Amino acid sequence: MRYFTENKWTQFVALLAVFFALVIAIDPATGGNLWRLQETRFWLLPDIVNDSLKFLINDFWVVDIYDAELDITEESTMIKEFTRTLSGAVLFSINLIRELLLGGVKTVVAFTSWDFISENQWARIPALPWPAVAVGAFLAGHYLGGRSLSVLAGASTIYIVVFGQWTPAMQTLSFVLVAVPLSVVIGLSLGIIAFKNKTFESMLAPLLNVAQSMPHFSYLIPVVVFFGIGDHAGAISTVIFATPPMIRLTILGLKKVSPEVLEAGMMSGCNPRQLMFKVLIPTARHDILIGVNQVIMQCLAMAVIASFIGAKGLGYDLLVSLNMLNIGEALELGVSIVLIAVVLDRLSLAWANKQVDYFADQPFHVRHRYSLAFLGGVIFTSVIAYVASIVFPGKANYLYFIDESQGFTTEKFWDVIVDWIITNTYDSVQTFNFFMITSILMPMKQAYLSMPVAATLFLVAGSGYIIGGLRSAVIVTAFIAFIALTPWWDRALITAYMTTFAVVISVIIGFSVGIFCSRSPRATKVILLVCDTFQTFPSFVYLIPVIMLFGVSDLSVLIAVIVYATIPATRYTVEGLSNVPKSLQEAGSMSGVNRIQRLLQIELPLAFPHIMLGINQTVIFALFMVIIGAFIGTDDLGQLIMQSLSEANGMGQGIVLGLCVAFIGLAVDHLIHTWAEQRKKVLGIA
Amino acid sequence: MKFFNKLATAAAVGSLLLGANVAQADSKEPIVIPTHNWTSQITMAYVIGGIFESIGDNVSYVPADSQTVYESIRNGDVTIGHEVWQSTFGKSFNNALDAGGIIDVGKHASATQEEWWYPAYVGELCPGLPSWEALNECSDLFATAGSGGKGRYLDGPMDWHGQETLDRIEALDMNFTAKFAGSSGALWAELASAAKDNRAVVVFNWSPNFTDAGDGGSFVKFPAYSDGCKKSDGGDGKCGSPPAGWLKKAAYYQMPAKWPTAYKIYNNISFTKRDIGNMAALVDIDGMSHEAAAAKWLADNEATWKAWL
């Protein structure tokens, strides 16, 4: 008996035995609630959520709003006025930045009126010539990070121009330049409050989990209803998605500050505010900066999805070109998104690391040399552009603006490649396709669907109990039972089957590549760069090529998912292995182990907790992409979420479905986290 | 807050003096036109925008999802919806009509057809086409790895008209299964790759669409549609789609009050199948940008649209 309680694997074996016994014992035809939970009042939940949201926006706290132009008084609600005011402020900021880069009238309108603009054609902001922006990028890079950053920023700008993506790229940039600071400020403030107030922190934690793991499509309609449609709506949904990592990393960073630092601050007589902003935050800078990096990545990852609710820019163009099967153009647009992400990330990092020289006493023109140079650049390039337009009247002015149709493109090249791949791999792909679908995927799907709900819940509760005791058992069972109570249990099982398959393959690939690359520092660097790139590269781009190769099938979806979900598996393996303390490795070598032994006996066990977190991320990424797979064609929860966009109670249905997806992720997250924490304690690296 | 409110709508909260003459003239606030992700709709958005601009109104464009857009029109965030397809967006549009806040501004001249469709070369692979019986005979040509030996029909997203497809296959006892693609892009990708391998496919498609041009293809002929023949309408389900579906226009309910002239024009606007095909071809075949295509269409067809003013 003692052997049984002390050895978890025996408990798992027993658990599995009971699980299979239940699967065999419960008959679908007569199983009733043991097989699938029958319809209950709980099925009304989507309607209730939908009606409450509608009540909130349409009938709660009604106020009269006077429309001066139409001279009528209309009813509105306080909530609506509040959310619209908020979106107005966000939209104004986006437009301001956008019109500085691209020109326009909306900023002027905000201070005058549309009538004024229509009567005064001169009253509009002119666009900066693109060379002026390029000069700005070079100078900003040079000022913040020296020569190499300058080249990166400037070259990226030129890439964007040369490929004729100036307008969409600047639209995306203006959107990101608002969403990122907003997320950072909100994340930092909430993180600080949570750090100071334990109750707030424990209230915030579940909300963060849900916000991060809800599929975006599930809250598109609520965002549209509450905040309207346009760049502001896109920015707001991006903020919802991008803030959680910032909050988390702020809390983490602040908690890591050692008490000595804090005491030193107090001894020098800091008041609480000084303590926070002059001592704690600068000390926690490293983690906070990782937070900023995550925010930038998430904001650009949202570029495509935000276009569903009105965000203009690269994301929207990408969606349109994919729908027209212009894979080459979509790739080029995707590269622009990655470039913007990389440049912003490096610039913000360099900015945060820049030391202020308090003692320099420099004359005006030296202190302001970058601003002056930029001003000179703007004047110079404007004059050049103006002169060019006079010398070559009626011709396209390449020195001012390059339109999409004037840009360079590699579309043809990609079309040829895609053509070649499809025609030359047809037979082998078909064989592979047939084998995978009939021998692996369909049986696996059937197996998942044949699990009785009672057996599944028992398995979940049992795993929770074995891994984390009674508390974990209750938490994970509650998550999964919520799904079982909805009408969508079968759909959730399909989502689970696809996610499981993708995670297993991704982890195998990521783990092998990770181990392989962590052997040399150079390979480590390269693979981390690849991971960064693929993480911001819009996952939508994979969708069309995989359909062309593998057709509209589960296999296509899974391949797209695996491409995306392998990133965290690889990254965390590499990081985990390269963070193993050198002293331990050397100690191993000195005791005479060979390289394989060192890897298996020392490095892997020590890196294991970190790798487990990578698997955790793999699950989250896979779930995210399985839902996006609905654009290829799936029959899981994702399909229902897409479908809810056209339903009358779509708001409620979308949110409840989104919660189902989030809860799958959260249950896995909880189990893995608990396990990794325990391992860390055992290994003494907590 | 008042200040931001002003920013929010970017509107003139005009003085009473200005308020006096609003009844006759269009508001200068921009008319918001949505753009979705297919060519004809985007080009038509710029065409309609160009017509509104020609009478001195301001317009702005906003990318929108084609299902959620009706909620935005209801709320006034978007002013018009100029391509409401009967079978794909009928449900979202009708839900919005029920909820209120949106006007049905009538149909375009163009009738629409939405039906099972195959590219021209498939006609040679399965000689009896376009009759549905012949299609059924060749069902094994259309089999895929996941279809379990039956033919596979690739339908649009489930929410477009999924149940009707399943009903029809069952009612006609066809040797086919339906697979639901997740987006129109998925349909085109499957068509393109099938064409490269000369593989037989039958997919959901509609006309007017870019597939009307080029090598083309044909719709499968099902037993003729009659009112009430669909299962959901109480019939036996043994019939095809209506041969002439509608393509409607929608507008925000305040549009007639705020932009009376533009609304009158919008009411008159009615594109034919040829118009829509031409707009799409300028982009898809001639490779122009959507804006340029719209400008060219407006320049070439002045007689058509000037008559609507």
Side-chain angles (χ1 to χ4, degrees):
Chain A
M1 196 59 215
R2 168 174 284 179
Y3 184 78
F4 182 75
T5 46
E6 275 173 12
N7 281 277
K8 291 204 164 163
W9 70 269
T10 50
Q11 297 173 5
F12 260 113
V13 171
L15 178 71
L16 282 178
V18 180
F19 168 72
F20 281 113
L22 280 172
V23 171
I24 293 163
I26 297 169
D27 179 42
T30 55
N33 271 327
L34 292 176
W35 167 245
R36 294 286 188 263
L37 293 185
Q38 305 299 309
E39 180 168 353
T40 55
R41 289 227 184 108
F42 196 79
W43 284 27
L44 296 175
L45 185 66
D47 289 325
I48 294 170
V49 173
N50 196 58
D51 292 343
S52 352
L53 285 177
K54 276 211 166 130
F55 173 76
L56 206 60
I57 193 82
N58 292 332
D59 303 307
F60 175 69
W61 198 353
V62 176
V63 286
D64 286 336
I65 299 293
Y66 176 67
D67 186 335
E69 200 172 2
L70 288 178
D71 193 23
I72 47 169
T73 306
E74 281 202 277
E75 280 191 346
S76 180
T77 57
M78 215 50 209
I79 303 274
K80 197 168 186 169
E81 290 305 307
F82 171 72
T83 53
R84 294 305 160 107
T85 305
L86 196 70
S87 25
V90 174
L91 186 58
F92 174 76
S93 326
I94 297 177
N95 278 334
L96 178 66
I97 299 178
R98 180 169 296 173
E99 291 177 354
L100 288 177
L101 293 165
L102 289 171
V105 297
K106 287 185 179 159
T107 312
V108 182
V109 165
F111 296 102
T112 56
S113 72
W114 279 103
D115 291 290
F116 175 80
I117 283 293
S118 298
E119 281 154 26
N120 300 282
Q121 289 298 322
W122 52 269
R124 44 200 70 221
I125 302 176
L128 278 179
W130 73 261
V133 182
V135 167
F138 269 113
L139 287 173
H142 199 268
Y143 170 61
L144 294 170
R147 186 172 300 163
S148 58
L149 191 54
S150 163
V151 170
L152 177 71
S156 305
T157 319
I158 290 171
Y159 167 91
I160 289 169
V161 175
V162 166
F163 280 87
Q165 293 163 4
W166 191 245
T167 312
M170 293 303 111
Q171 284 170 337
T172 299
L173 185 65
S174 54
F175 163 85
V176 170
L177 286 182
V178 172
V180 169
L182 208 58
S183 308
V184 169
V185 170
I186 296 177
L188 203 57
S189 338
L190 289 179
I192 291 173
I193 301 176
F195 173 68
K196 287 189 166 167
N197 185 337
K198 275 270 164 301
T199 334
F200 185 71
E201 189 189 349
S202 49
M203 269 161 45
L204 199 61
L207 281 179
L208 293 186
N209 284 334
V210 173
Q212 237 178 333
S213 46
M214 279 260 275
H216 316 96
F217 292 100
S218 57
Y219 52 79
L220 285 191
I221 303 191
V223 168
V224 165
V225 169
F226 278 77
F227 296 97
I229 189 167
D231 290 289
H232 50 288
I236 287 166
S237 59
T238 302
V239 170
I240 298 177
F241 181 64
T243 311
M246 184 71 209
I247 302 180
R248 266 180 227 276
L249 284 154
T250 307
I251 301 177
L252 184 77
L254 292 177
K255 276 187 179 163
K256 276 205 313 212
V257 175
S258 63
E260 290 87 352
V261 175
L262 203 65
E263 278 157 20
M266 292 209 248
M267 273 171 21
S268 357
C270 289
N271 64 26
R273 230 188 74 206
Q274 286 170 330
L275 201 62
M276 178 56 71
F277 290 98
K278 304 271 173 190
V279 178
L280 281 173
I281 291 183
T283 318
R285 196 173 60 187
H286 179 71
D287 287 294
I288 293 176
L289 280 178
I290 299 180
V292 174
N293 158 285
Q294 284 302 306
V295 166
I296 293 174
M297 299 286 170
Q298 307 277 34
C299 281
L300 282 149
M302 275 291 280
V304 178
I305 292 165
S307 78
F308 280 81
I309 48 177
K312 295 191 179 99
L314 295 166
Y316 174 67
D317 285 19
L318 190 139
L319 217 55
V320 172
S321 58
L322 275 183
N323 201 45
M324 291 163 69
L325 306 188
N326 283 339
I327 296 170
E329 193 187 336
L331 267 173
E332 289 164 12
L333 289 162
V335 171
S336 292
I337 292 182
V338 174
L339 285 178
I340 292 182
V342 171
V343 170
L344 284 181
D345 181 42
R346 297 290 140 81
L347 285 179
S348 62
L349 204 69
W351 180 53
N353 283 327
K354 199 165 175 65
Q355 302 289 333
V356 181
D357 187 354
Y358 294 103
F359 300 104
D361 184 20
Q362 293 166 323
F364 179 83
H365 68 274
V366 179
R367 215 173 338 133
H368 295 279
R369 59 188 183 281
Y370 283 101
S371 328
L372 289 173
F374 178 61
L375 195 67
V378 170
I379 295 171
F380 179 70
T381 52
S382 307
V383 168
I384 296 262
Y386 186 70
V387 169
S389 73
I390 291 186
V391 176
F392 305 103
K395 290 242 176 72
N397 188 349
Y398 287 95
L399 293 173
Y400 182 60
F401 176 78
I402 294 182
D403 187 56
E404 190 196 328
S405 50
Q406 297 156 348
F408 177 73
T409 179
T410 52
E411 246 168 70
K412 290 272 166 344
F413 170 74
W414 294 106
D415 287 348
V416 170
I417 293 211
V418 170
D419 244 27
W420 186 87
I421 293 178
I422 291 174
T423 37
N424 285 287
T425 57
Y426 179 70
D427 286 324
S428 39
V429 164
Q430 284 308 307
T431 322
F432 175 69
N433 213 347
F434 189 80
F435 166 75
M436 285 302 290
I437 289 179
T438 52
S439 321
I440 297 183
L441 297 180
M442 295 215 315
M444 187 172 169
K445 187 174 179 177
Q446 276 319 312
Y448 267 70
L449 285 172
S450 63
M451 292 195 297
V453 72
T456 319
L457 285 176
F458 177 77
L459 183 68
V460 169
S463 316
Y465 184 75
I466 295 172
I467 290 173
L470 194 58
R471 185 168 170 270
S472 290
V474 172
I475 292 175
V476 291
T477 316
F479 281 139
I480 303 301
F482 176 89
I483 307 172
L485 281 167
T486 66
W488 306 307
W489 178 250
D490 283 287
R491 303 294 192 125
L493 287 176
I494 299 176
T495 303
Y497 125 75
M498 296 218 276
T499 312
T500 318
F501 183 83
V503 167
V504 169
I505 305 290
S506 301
V507 166
I508 293 175
I509 299 175
F511 195 58
S512 331
V513 173
I515 290 182
F516 190 70
C517 289
S518 66
R519 300 293 88 192
S520 103
R522 174 170 296 180
T524 306
K525 249 188 153 165
V526 170
I527 198 74
L528 287 180
L529 189 70
V530 171
C531 288
D532 267 346
T533 315
F534 266 82
Q535 199 181 335
T536 23
F537 195 73
S539 42
F540 276 80
V541 176
Y542 325 140
L543 299 187
I544 295 296
V546 294
I547 297 177
M548 288 184 152
L549 275 173
F550 300 98
V552 176
S553 66
D554 283 3
L555 185 63
S556 290
V557 177
L558 287 171
I559 288 172
V561 175
I562 289 166
V563 171
Y564 189 63
T566 308
I567 304 165
T570 315
R571 178 202 294 273
Y572 280 74
T573 311
V574 173
E575 284 175 353
L577 286 174
S578 47
N579 285 345
V580 172
K582 275 274 167 298
S583 53
L584 285 174
Q585 301 191 3
E586 279 156 16
S589 304
M590 274 175 13
S591 338
V593 296
N594 63 30
R595 287 187 61 156
I596 302 287
Q597 282 172 326
R598 201 177 79 190
L599 178 69
L600 292 179
Q601 309 286 343
I602 299 172
E603 294 175 19
L604 277 181
L606 281 170
F608 189 69
H610 197 77
I611 294 174
M612 282 311 285
L613 294 182
I615 294 177
N616 188 0
Q617 285 299 303
T618 310
V619 174
I620 304 282
F621 272 52
L623 262 177
F624 170 85
M625 198 58 194
V626 165
I627 301 302
I628 301 269
F631 281 88
I632 293 177
T634 50
D635 44 9
D636 70 335
L637 291 170
Q639 186 192 34
L640 288 178
I641 293 177
M642 296 259 297
Q643 222 167 305
S644 72
L645 295 181
S646 64
E647 298 285 340
N649 67 350
M651 258 200 289
Q653 202 174 326
I655 287 181
V656 176
L657 281 162
L659 283 177
C660 288
V661 178
F663 286 171
I664 298 180
L666 291 180
V668 177
D669 177 86
H670 178 86
L671 291 180
I672 294 182
H673 253 289
T674 317
W675 192 19
E677 286 303 316
Q678 286 172 355
R679 289 302 305 167
K680 274 190 194 169
K681 276 201 191 111
V682 172
L683 292 167
I685 50 176
Chain B
M1 175 146 167
K2 197 77 199 164
F3 170 68
F4 281 128
N5 224 334
K6 192 170 155 187
L7 302 180
T9 48
V13 182
S15 64
L16 286 171
L17 275 175
L18 273 172
N21 58 8
V22 286
Q24 307 89 28
D26 275 12
S27 164
K28 289 292 175 228
E29 216 178 290
I31 300 172
V32 184
I33 304 175
T35 56
H36 302 321
N37 62 357
W38 65 93
T39 315
S40 70
Q41 197 275 346
I42 304 174
T43 316
M44 200 194 286
Y46 289 115
V47 165
I48 294 177
I51 296 177
F52 288 161
E53 274 173 347
S54 76
I55 59 161
D57 282 6
N58 287 311
V59 291
S60 73
Y61 305 92
V62 61
D65 176 67
S66 47
Q67 299 286 0
T68 53
V69 72
Y70 301 100
E71 201 56 36
S72 302
I73 299 178
R74 243 167 52 68
N75 285 310
D77 296 316
V78 171
T79 318
I80 64 168
H82 52 273
E83 264 197 32
V84 190
W85 289 74
Q86 179 168 11
S87 87
T88 38
F89 310 124
K91 198 156 120 202
S92 307
F93 176 58
N94 286 327
N95 285 337
L97 275 180
D98 291 343
I102 192 170
I103 333 177
D104 181 342
V105 197
K107 302 175 197 172
H108 286 287
S110 171
T112 63
Q113 199 174 2
E114 300 171 272
E115 189 58 279
W116 297 35
W117 183 93
Y118 58 89
Y121 67 87
V122 177
E124 289 156 30
L125 300 174
C126 176
L129 283 172
S131 103
W132 72 272
E133 284 122 329
L135 178 76
N136 209 18
E137 297 282 299
C138 320
S139 66
D140 51 327
L141 277 180
F142 297 90
T144 63
S147 66
K150 294 181 171 181
R152 185 208 53 176
Y153 161 57
L154 188 63
D155 201 351
M158 179 78 185
D159 50 318
W160 286 2
H161 46 239
Q163 195 51 46
E164 192 194 316
T165 302
L166 297 174
D167 287 346
R168 191 192 301 180
I169 289 175
E170 199 197 326
L172 292 171
D173 195 22
M174 293 177 76
N175 192 25
F176 267 83
T177 59
K179 172 81 192 171
F180 298 98
S183 54
S184 49
L187 291 174
W188 314 144
E190 180 83 10
L191 272 181
S193 83
K196 288 187 177 121
D197 302 325
N198 219 29
R199 173 159 45 97
V201 280
V202 55
V203 304
F204 174 72
N205 197 354
W206 55 89
S207 170
N209 194 4
F210 74 95
T211 45
D212 296 342
D215 291 338
S218 315
F219 289 105
V220 174
K221 281 214 166 51
F222 279 98
Y225 172 84
S226 58
D227 277 338
C229 72
K230 286 184 185 173
K231 242 191 189 138
S232 52
D233 301 334
D236 59 2
K238 294 185 181 181
C239 62
S241 314
W246 45 254
L247 183 65
K248 278 189 179 172
K249 298 170 288 177
Y252 175 46
Y253 81 103
Q254 289 283 19
M255 189 186 179
K258 212 161 174 179
W259 298 276
T261 325
Y263 181 72
K264 225 180 76 206
I265 297 170
Y266 185 53
N267 220 339
N268 296 337
I269 285 178
S270 163
F271 291 109
T272 63
K273 200 166 169 170
R274 243 197 68 221
D275 294 332
I276 299 173
N278 286 344
M279 286 179 205
L282 287 173
V283 176
D284 289 336
I285 296 170
D286 302 345
M288 299 172 87
S289 72
H290 297 103
E291 290 94 330
K296 183 166 164 46
W297 191 90
L298 284 171
D300 292 350
N301 297 276
E302 272 199 11
T304 316
W305 63 270
K306 286 264 158 89
W308 294 330
L309 298 183

